[in-house]
Amino acid sequence: MPARRDFLKHSLLPLGALCLSPNLEGLPQPKRPESLLSKRLKSLTRHTPWNQVEAIKILFNTFHCQGMVKIGTDYWVSSVEVHPGNDRSSGAGHLFKIDAGGNLLADIAIGEGAIFHPSGIDFDGMHIWIAAAEYRPDSRAIIYRFDPRQMVLEEMFRWNDHIGGIARNPDTNTLHGVSWGSRRFYQWALNATGKLRHTNVSPLPNHAYYIDYQDNQYLGGGEMLYTGLNAYKRPGKPLFSLGGIEIINLDSYQPVHQLPVELWSPATDAVMTQNPSFFELGEGDKVRGYFMPDDNESTLFIYEASAATPV
């Protein structure tokens, strides 16, 4: 089914002083309880075994996937398609709807012109939040929300930076984004219609460096889960990539749990957290992780991890 694209035209917004969310402006806030998923994730260590429970072959060209959410039995995956040439100036952004058998159910176009690189995504219970940016750092982005029931894509605002991951905190009605390489955090306060309450928002630096974030997921309790990787090079040695997850406290923007994920694709040796990731609780409250590490010919790998193994 083709999607209707509802674009609300806005000029690019300036940067300015940091704006706190409406729930944080001037009043101390009680500590929000952590979610059960967050507790289970925090119980994992690098010694916790991850057991593969399924590998679903995706039955179409996925290009270079970015973000993923699971809604019911379907998967929504953002992806960037680069047109021939090496300057990354021309391409197409996609939001795929994929069923549990790996079949393509819908393909929603994301972005416009040179702004075609979709972000990591998240679902707030009503909308999937997704950004599209130019395929370069320090560029421009369009922030969208998508209604998966009505299949309507709505432009919310534009921003003078590359936004590589975006998610909404419904507890405080704030939108949280990260820049290219996740070196900068953004926090936007929203009004009741989902529009910006303030336009004078400045970034905060990310002081955690061991991975760059590729995807994001709001856990509840004022915590965001980020997944990603970084590449390390020693002189005369092959490049080594390490994947991992970080749980960030959205009040302090400091990590409260950091965990390497020592899983690699059997097809390409890409780390499992290289591209999209999604987490939920499975049977027995085990952590269930969904990963699509490979470009073009993708497989959706599903793993489960239980409580940490004592060492």
Side-chain angles (χ1 to χ4, degrees), residues 3 19 31 34 41 59 80 113 116 137 154 164 184 200 205 207 224-225 283 287 292 295 297 305:
C19 158
K31 180 177 175 59
E34 62 185 348
L41 285 163
L59 303 175
V80 58
F116 62 86
E154 182 181 9
R184 295 183 290 274
N200 56 334
H207 296 293
M224 192 75 72
L225 172 64
E283 185 177 350
V287 172
M292 287 180 62
D295 295 342
E297 297 182 5

Side-chain angles (χ1 to χ4, degrees), residues 72-136:
T73 59
D74 296 327
Y75 305 90
W76 294 84
V77 177
S78 61
S79 180
V80 58
E81 174 188 359
V82 179
H83 292 160
N86 296 318
D87 61 357
R88 294 179 171 179
S89 63
S90 176
H94 301 267
L95 179 62
F96 299 128
K97 182 181 182 181
I98 307 169
D99 69 14
N103 300 289
L104 179 64
L105 300 180
D107 181 356
I108 293 87
I110 302 294
E112 63 179 40
I115 301 175
F116 62 86
H117 188 299
S119 66
I121 66 176
D122 197 27
F123 179 58
D124 66 5
M126 291 289 292
H127 297 96
I128 295 172
W129 289 85
I130 181 170
E134 295 182 22
Y135 207 152
R136 60 184 179 86

Side-chain angles (χ1 to χ4, degrees), residues 45-222:
T45 76
R46 62 172 301 191
H47 302 287
T48 304
W50 292 84
N51 301 308
Q52 183 178 312
V53 296
E54 197 169 359
I56 302 170
K57 180 66 177 175
I58 305 302
L59 303 175
F60 62 94
N61 187 346
T62 57
F63 307 110
H64 177 35
C65 297
Q66 304 296 308
M68 174 167 52
V69 296
K70 181 173 178 280
I71 304 175
T73 59
D74 296 327
Y75 305 90
W76 294 84
V77 177
S78 61
S79 180
V80 58
E81 174 188 359
V82 179
H83 292 160
N86 296 318
D87 61 357
R88 294 179 171 179
S89 63
S90 176
H94 301 267
L95 179 62
F96 299 128
K97 182 181 182 181
I98 307 169
D99 69 14
N103 300 289
L104 179 64
L105 300 180
D107 181 356
I108 293 87
I110 302 294
E112 63 179 40
I115 301 175
F116 62 86
H117 188 299
S119 66
I121 66 176
D122 197 27
F123 179 58
D124 66 5
M126 291 289 292
H127 297 96
I128 295 172
W129 289 85
I130 181 170
E134 295 182 22
Y135 207 152
R136 60 184 179 86
D138 308 315
S139 58
R140 302 176 298 155
I142 305 172
I143 284 72
Y144 301 97
R145 69 181 185 185
F146 176 74
D147 184 335
R149 298 172 181 86
Q150 301 297 320
M151 299 292 282
V152 174
L153 182 71
E154 182 181 9
E155 178 181 327
M156 305 308 291
F157 62 95
R158 300 189 176 211
W159 203 255
N160 273 323
D161 201 354
H162 180 112
I163 303 301
I166 197 157
R168 176 174 171 265
N169 175 353
D171 299 330
T172 58
N173 196 25
T174 50
L175 200 60
H176 298 265
V178 292
S179 67
W180 177 286
S182 63
R183 293 305 94 213
R184 295 183 290 274
F185 290 112
Y186 286 95
Q187 178 174 311
W188 297 278
L190 304 178
N191 64 20
T193 66
K195 303 298 176 57
L196 293 183
R197 294 181 70 244
H198 307 273
T199 61
N200 56 334
V201 173
S202 290
L204 291 172
N206 181 3
H207 296 293
Y209 289 97
Y210 97 94
I211 61 170
D212 291 342
Y213 307 149
Q214 303 294 314
D215 206 357
N216 49 208
Q217 179 178 346
Y218 182 63
L219 294 174

